[in-house]
């Protein structure tokens, strides 16, 4: 029971990250030690699973897809998204510097931690790192677009966003922002618009099952290059989570509120000169340090739990 409660809490952390444009739930899965099992479990939704389900062999189906693991993680993600979407929206609007600083420290520590997963650094791994960093950086500077609210595009947005959500460093929420669907989906979650959420959910299911097969294959066949690529994604994403930004272009959301559309990173002193707002430098430093330290706390707790359950199974 303790094991599955811990998995649910890790799922909650993933859900919290997924509602922040710029932070990836895949990053949290990676640093909390469940990434490989998560991808492999999702990959088990295959022809065998469908056959077992159609024959109503529910117990075998549940074991085949690693149901206890998936249920615990997805329950945590769901709880976080539905309970914390409004809280994260409030924090980003009222305490953006502190929030971004915390995630900046989190991602820096995660990148260092993940580097240890690369068993051999060579030119292929280095290229993977550089490609991942360049791609993630390009995504963070791309301009959001205006897109339709038609059923097919809602499903397509779900499929694309979920692929990003399970990639460390690439934020599914930010992909939704680029597709012009972040506020639309967050509002649907907050107001429980079942039709929109169902369409989005179908897209998510199709996208994650298809993409997990590719990612699982890459991790099995080309682990070092793939991990280096994922690490590069995280490095490139740091551009998005820098706490101090200058708004270059704005847009009006569905509630008539002006929100940043295109932003440029600036130093704390420049931020104060441009906005007349306190840069909150010491608060940002403290929270960045807390985010950095949290990774090693998670690693320590995860190691202790693994040893405890490992000893219990012998």
């Amino acid at each position: 029971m303790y094991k599955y409660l811990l998995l649910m809490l890790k799922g909650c952390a993933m859900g919290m990250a997924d509602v922040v444009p710029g932070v990836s739930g895949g990053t949290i899965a990676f640093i909390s030690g469940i990434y490989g099992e998560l991808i492999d479990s999702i990959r088990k939704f295959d022809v065998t699973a469908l056959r077992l389900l159609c024959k109503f062999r529910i117990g075998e189906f549940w074991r085949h897809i690693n149901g206890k693991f998936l249920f615990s993680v997805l329950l945590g993600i769901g709880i976080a998204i539905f309970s914390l979407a409004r809280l994260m929206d409030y924090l980003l609007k009222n305490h953006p510097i502190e929030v971004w600083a915390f995630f900046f420290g989190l991602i820096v520590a995660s990148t260092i931690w993940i580097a240890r997963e690369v068993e051999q650094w060579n030119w292929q791994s280095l290229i993977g790192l550089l490609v991942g960093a360049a791609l993630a950086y390009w995504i963070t500077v791309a301009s959001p677009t205006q897109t339709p609210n038609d059923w097919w595009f809602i499903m397509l947005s779900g499929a694309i966003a979920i692929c990003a959500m399970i990639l460390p460093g690439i934020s599914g929420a930010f992909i939704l922002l680029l597709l012009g669907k972040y506020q639309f989906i967050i509002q649907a979650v907050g107001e429980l618009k079942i039709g929109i959420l169902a369409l989005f959910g179908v897209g998510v299911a199709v996208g994650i099952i298809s993409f997990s097969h590719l990612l699982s294959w890459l991790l099995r066949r080309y682990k070092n290059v793939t991990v280096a690529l994922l690490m590069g994604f995280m490095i490139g994403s740091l551009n998005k989570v820098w706490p101090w930004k200058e708004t270059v272009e704005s847009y009006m959301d569905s509630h008539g509120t002006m929100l940043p559309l295109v932003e440029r990173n600036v130093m704390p002193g420049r931020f104060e000169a441009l906005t007349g707002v306190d840069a909150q430098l010491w608060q940002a430093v403290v929270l960045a340090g807390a985010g950095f330290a949290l990774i090693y706390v998670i690693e320590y707790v995860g190691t202790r739990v693994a040893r405890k359950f490992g000893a219990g199974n012998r």
Side-chain angles (χ1 to χ4, degrees), residues 44-65 209:
K44 293 295 181 65
F45 283 88
D46 52 14
V47 175
T48 302
L50 184 61
R51 188 182 300 117
L52 291 171
L53 197 58
C54 289
K55 293 180 178 179
F56 298 101
R57 292 158 63 178
I58 305 301
E60 291 179 55
F61 167 79
W62 190 250
R63 288 188 294 273
H64 177 73
I65 65 169
I209 292 171

Side-chain angles (χ1 to χ4, degrees), residues 243-303:
W244 299 279
K245 299 179 183 295
E246 173 190 4
T247 299
V248 178
E249 191 177 337
S250 301
Y251 75 101
M252 186 175 293
D253 71 3
S254 58
H255 298 291
T257 303
M258 293 300 296
L259 297 172
L261 181 65
V262 179
E263 297 177 305
R264 181 165 53 224
N265 292 339
V266 296
M267 297 303 291
R270 175 68 175 165
F271 174 83
E272 289 187 350
L274 287 170
T275 64
V277 176
D278 181 16
Q280 298 176 306
L281 184 58
W282 74 265
Q283 295 97 321
V285 170
V286 169
L287 283 165
F292 191 95
L294 181 61
I295 298 307
Y296 293 93
V297 171
I298 291 173
E299 181 187 10
Y300 174 77
V301 172
T303 301

Side-chain angles (χ1 to χ4, degrees), residues 110-121:
S110 303
T111 303
I112 296 171
W113 186 83
I114 287 175
R116 297 182 299 180
E117 296 294 309
V118 180
E119 297 169 355
Q120 181 180 9
W121 282 99

Side-chain angles (χ1 to χ4, degrees), residues 5 64-65 67 101 114 120 137 151 155 161 178 232 293 302 307:
L5 177 61
H64 177 73
I65 65 169
I114 287 175
Q120 181 180 9
Y137 179 84
W151 65 270
M155 291 176 62
L178 292 180
R307 287 175 179 172

Side-chain angles (χ1 to χ4, degrees), residues 43-192:
R43 185 177 61 85
K44 293 295 181 65
F45 283 88
D46 52 14
V47 175
T48 302
L50 184 61
R51 188 182 300 117
L52 291 171
L53 197 58
C54 289
K55 293 180 178 179
F56 298 101
R57 292 158 63 178
I58 305 301
E60 291 179 55
F61 167 79
W62 190 250
R63 288 188 294 273
H64 177 73
I65 65 169
N66 197 8
K68 290 182 179 180
F69 170 87
L70 275 181
F71 178 78
S72 301
V73 174
L74 293 177
L75 178 62
I77 292 174
I79 289 172
I81 289 176
F82 282 96
S83 63
L84 297 174
R86 291 185 179 180
L87 173 61
M88 293 307 299
D89 188 47
Y90 168 82
L91 290 175
L92 285 169
K93 287 178 179 176
N94 295 279
H95 303 281
I97 291 174
E98 296 97 318
V99 172
W100 291 124
F102 177 79
F103 282 111
F104 191 91
L106 194 80
I107 293 173
V108 168
S110 303
T111 303
I112 296 171
W113 186 83
I114 287 175
R116 297 182 299 180
E117 296 294 309
V118 180
E119 297 169 355
Q120 181 180 9
W121 282 99
N122 49 33
W123 67 269
Q124 295 101 324
S125 301
L126 184 59
I127 288 176
L129 176 71
L130 295 175
V131 168
L135 179 59
Y137 179 84
W138 175 80
I139 289 173
T140 66
V141 298
S143 297
T145 58
Q146 295 296 319
T147 53
N149 293 335
D150 297 333
W151 65 270
W152 63 270
F153 196 81
I154 294 172
M155 291 176 62
L156 179 63
S157 298
I160 296 173
I162 195 62
C163 291
M165 284 180 184
I166 61 175
L167 284 174
I170 295 185
S171 163
F174 186 63
I175 294 298
L176 284 179
L177 193 63
L178 292 180
L179 294 172
K181 286 290 166 282
Y182 179 71
Q183 293 292 335
F184 182 78
I185 296 300
I186 286 294
Q187 183 178 347
V189 171
E191 298 176 6
L192 284 179

